[in-house]
């Protein structure tokens, strides 16, 4: 789920990274700390240090997206404790396998004109999400102007689900 959302964000803000997205994503999930620190090795040469942070956004977007999904899971759990968090997140973000038929909205979600389901984020949810994402980006050494761009793209993806195919 994180990879699919991050890929959408990369497509929006750094389309030139799409050809290497899968390889960078695998390297990131193999060792997220190393991918953000620049300590590559012969076995895993993909390291992304602070000197390359502004050139290679994929590992940073993956880290920020992971935190955003975690934050949204907490929001969903508070609003819809009876529904499985993973299933709700997949419905919200329109990722993974979906059962046929229209989605059934609950208190945490609303239907969109395309039939997708999006989380109804309140202003305090958006502020909390922005804080979590920007703190993660800051920890990764991302410049403030890039942080705003990435945070806006991630929050936009959270508010506007992927259309169904």
């Amino acid at each position: 789920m994180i990879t699919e959302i991050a890929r959408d964000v990369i497509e929006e803000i750094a389309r030139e990274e799409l050809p290497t997205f899968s390889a960078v994503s695998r390297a990131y999930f193999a060792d997220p700390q190393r991918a953000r620190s620049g300590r590559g090795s012969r076995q895993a040469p993909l390291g992304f240090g602070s000197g390359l942070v502004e050139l290679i956004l994929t590992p940073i977007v993956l880290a920020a997206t992971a935190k955003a999904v975690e934050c949204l899971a907490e929001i969903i759990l508070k609003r819809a404790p009876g529904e499985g968090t993973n299933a709700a997140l997949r419905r919200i973000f329109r990722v993974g396998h979906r059962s046929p038929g229209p989605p059934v909205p609950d208190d945490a979600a609303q239907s969109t004109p395309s039939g997708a389901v999006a989380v109804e984020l309140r202003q305090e949810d958006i502020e909390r999400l922005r804080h979590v994402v920007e703190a993660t980006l800051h920890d990764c050494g991302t410049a403030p102007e890039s942080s705003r761009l990435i945070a806006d793209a991630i929050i936009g993806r959270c508010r506007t689900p992927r259309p169904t195919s």
Side-chain angles (χ1 to χ4, degrees):
M1 176 182 340
I2 292 165
T3 304
E4 292 176 57
I5 296 164
R7 184 180 190 85
D8 289 347
V9 171
I10 288 296
E11 185 173 8
E12 179 181 335
I13 66 171
R15 186 175 288 266
E16 67 279 3
E17 291 187 28
L18 285 175
T20 60
F21 182 86
S22 292
V24 173
S25 180
R26 282 190 303 275
Y28 172 83
F29 285 111
D31 191 346
Q33 203 70 16
R34 179 181 295 157
R36 290 192 316 261
S37 72
R39 292 187 312 265
S41 70
R42 289 180 194 205
Q43 291 78 27
L46 287 176
F48 307 95
S50 60
L52 296 178
V53 164
E54 296 306 312
L55 298 175
I56 302 175
L57 294 175
T58 299
I60 293 172
V61 169
L62 286 163
T65 301
K67 288 294 187 178
V69 169
E70 183 180 310
C71 180
L72 284 170
E74 291 172 9
I75 291 168
I76 290 167
L77 278 174
K78 288 179 183 173
R79 293 194 197 155
E83 183 173 359
T85 305
N86 197 33
L89 286 171
R90 287 192 178 285
R91 244 189 34 240
I92 289 163
F93 290 115
R94 304 301 294 167
V95 297
H97 301 288
R98 291 176 287 285
S99 58
V104 180
D106 59 29
D107 291 341
Q110 62 182 358
S111 291
T112 62
S114 68
V117 176
V119 69
E120 187 176 330
L121 294 174
R122 300 176 185 138
Q123 188 59 37
E124 63 266 19
D125 299 331
I126 294 168
E127 289 169 12
R128 180 176 169 209
L129 186 59
R130 181 170 295 280
H131 174 75
V132 165
V133 169
E134 287 181 350
T136 302
L137 294 169
H138 179 268
D139 291 347
C140 291
T142 309
E145 55 277 359
S146 294
S147 290
R148 281 190 293 280
L149 178 70
I150 295 167
D152 288 347
I154 290 171
I155 292 167
R157 177 62 169 81
C158 294
R159 296 181 79 182
T160 307
R162 174 191 289 177
T164 56
S165 338

